[in-house]
Amino acid sequence: MKKNSVQSGRMKSNVLIMLLICVITSASCNGKQKQAGAGSSDVAADNPKVEKAKEDIVGRIKELYAGTDRIGESNERFACHSWWEMVEAVDKKDADLEEIGFFNDDLWTQMQDSNSDDFEVRDIKFLQMDVEKGTALVDFVLWSSIQTVHQKFELCREDGDWRIHNIIRYRPDSDGKEVEVDMMREMRDYLAEPQEGASELTFANMDGIYDSLDEDMNSVSRICLNADGTATWGMIGSLHYTEYTYTIKGHTIFMKPKGVDTEEECYDYDEDTRTLKNEQGAVYYRQVVE
């Protein structure tokens, strides 16, 4: 009887172990399924709004490369304001150069003097899509009989249309591998470089007061740059202000709030107008202190 009891006990133990393994396995599988569901995006979702947005974006990209008058300044309607403001700033910097400046080829085709007239947009892939925020990232191949180009468009929803906010190009490195080139970042870095013949900005010569003005030329807000590398920003008439430290790269001022983990605020300095201009387009005029 004792032997049978022992065997019976072992059988019960084995059954319990098997049940426990099944429960753990089931929970693990369910957990993976939930995790996979949580990580999915609305790019591939069967959502009428998403499908409509994707259809509109594909149409805009194909329209950009259709016809004979698709390349050049006329296509400002295809890009957002911040993109064209950046392009115009680069063109302004290069206006008096005798040699080739930043743009050595066409913005949209990456070609130089032999733009084709038979472009075809192929292999469009939506890598990111947020209809509510109005942002998207699209990968595609631009084919022509002269050249085939691989690039990405970052798009935003602006003025009622999907517009190109940035171009990410692919160029081969020394090993023939594709390397991403972020055009917006490249242009920003280029503008930060000191122009040949321009005076170098220093804490000492940037020391001063810079005010934004309303339509009646009244001061609204104020930036104070100090010679020790500190700065403040505040509204005129307010006792509250934000403290910053700042650095200078070329003709760009990078201000970082003290004690706050946030991105730097960038201001481009124009020597001709003695103004600071941020990425949102706000202009601060240097004040003459008597």
Side-chain angles (χ1 to χ4, degrees), residues 48-79:
K49 289 184 178 180
V50 173
E51 294 305 315
K52 179 62 168 60
K54 290 165 69 174
E55 181 181 336
D56 291 344
I57 289 171
V58 170
R60 293 285 283 174
I61 295 174
K62 289 185 176 181
E63 184 182 1
L64 171 64
Y65 294 104
T68 58
D69 186 28
R70 67 203 167 276
I71 309 301
E73 293 182 2
S74 62
N75 282 321
E76 291 182 18
R77 62 193 179 96
F78 289 100

Side-chain angles (χ1 to χ4, degrees), residues 233-271:
W233 177 93
M235 301 298 294
I236 299 296
S238 173
L239 298 177
H240 302 284
Y241 57 88
T242 304
E243 294 183 308
Y244 294 82
T245 57
Y246 72 97
T247 56
I248 302 173
K249 296 179 182 178
H251 274 54
T252 303
I253 309 297
F254 296 87
M255 294 173 53
K256 186 173 182 60
K258 286 185 177 180
V260 180
D261 186 15
T262 185
E263 293 183 356
E264 294 176 318
E265 300 172 18
C266 304
Y267 293 82
D268 292 324
Y269 182 68
D270 189 317
E271 286 186 303

Side-chain angles (χ1 to χ4, degrees), residues 4-285:
N4 290 337
S5 297
V6 171
Q7 290 177 343
S8 176
R10 288 177 178 173
M11 290 178 63
K12 289 180 180 180
S13 297
N14 292 336
V15 171
L16 289 173
I17 291 171
M18 292 298 295
L19 287 173
L20 182 60
I21 291 173
C22 290
V23 170
I24 293 173
T25 303
S26 176
S28 176
C29 292
N30 290 335
K32 289 181 180 178
Q33 290 174 353
K34 290 178 180 179
Q35 185 177 4
S40 61
S41 68
D42 59 0
V43 174
D46 186 14
N47 184 318
K49 289 184 178 180
V50 173
E51 294 305 315
K52 179 62 168 60
K54 290 165 69 174
E55 181 181 336
D56 291 344
I57 289 171
V58 170
R60 293 285 283 174
I61 295 174
K62 289 185 176 181
E63 184 182 1
L64 171 64
Y65 294 104
T68 58
D69 186 28
R70 67 203 167 276
I71 309 301
E73 293 182 2
S74 62
N75 282 321
E76 291 182 18
R77 62 193 179 96
F78 289 100
C80 70
H81 297 299
S82 61
W83 170 263
W84 278 110
E85 287 174 2
M86 189 72 72
V87 171
E88 289 171 355
V90 172
D91 285 338
K92 180 181 177 182
K93 180 175 181 177
D94 291 346
D96 298 326
L97 291 180
E98 295 182 1
E99 67 275 9
I100 296 174
F102 179 84
F103 295 114
N104 192 31
D105 48 32
D106 188 273
L107 267 175
W108 305 112
T109 68
Q110 302 186 36
M111 298 182 185
Q112 295 182 355
D113 300 324
S114 57
N115 270 320
S116 176
D117 59 359
D118 58 348
F119 289 109
E120 184 178 334
V121 179
R122 298 179 176 179
D123 300 331
I124 296 179
K125 300 181 183 68
F126 283 83
L127 306 181
Q128 296 176 17
M129 167 72 75
D130 193 320
V131 177
E132 299 303 322
K133 292 182 179 179
T135 59
L137 177 62
V138 181
D139 182 288
F140 67 96
V141 171
L142 179 64
W143 177 92
S144 77
S145 57
I146 297 175
Q147 184 177 348
T148 299
V149 175
H150 179 202
Q151 59 188 6
K152 294 177 186 175
F153 280 171
E154 290 180 5
L155 299 106
C156 64
R157 187 82 176 168
E158 186 177 273
D159 297 335
D161 287 317
W162 285 98
R163 296 176 176 273
I164 297 149
H165 175 70
N166 189 17
I167 299 176
I168 299 174
R169 293 181 169 182
Y170 284 92
R171 291 174 177 162
D173 62 11
S174 58
D175 296 326
K177 296 180 181 179
E178 284 190 329
V179 178
E180 288 191 354
V181 179
D182 187 309
M183 292 299 295
M184 185 70 84
R185 184 182 298 117
E186 291 285 313
M187 286 192 288
R188 185 178 292 114
D189 291 345
Y190 179 71
L191 290 173
E193 295 175 0
Q195 191 166 6
E196 187 175 349
S199 59
E200 182 182 358
L201 301 187
T202 64
F203 290 148
N205 60 33
M206 290 306 296
D207 183 20
I209 296 172
Y210 303 79
D211 286 1
S212 66
L213 310 175
D214 61 17
E215 295 179 353
D216 298 321
M217 302 303 289
N218 297 314
S219 296
V220 178
S221 59
R222 172 168 294 173
I223 294 174
C224 295
L225 299 181
N226 304 315
D228 62 356
T230 62
T232 59
W233 177 93
M235 301 298 294
I236 299 296
S238 173
L239 298 177
H240 302 284
Y241 57 88
T242 304
E243 294 183 308
Y244 294 82
T245 57
Y246 72 97
T247 56
I248 302 173
K249 296 179 182 178
H251 274 54
T252 303
I253 309 297
F254 296 87
M255 294 173 53
K256 186 173 182 60
K258 286 185 177 180
V260 180
D261 186 15
T262 185
E263 293 183 356
E264 294 176 318
E265 300 172 18
C266 304
Y267 293 82
D268 292 324
Y269 182 68
D270 189 317
E271 286 186 303
D272 296 330
T273 59
R274 294 168 64 85
T275 57
L276 292 170
K277 184 178 181 181
N278 66 14
E279 293 178 292
Q280 289 72 44
V283 179
Y284 289 77
Y285 298 84

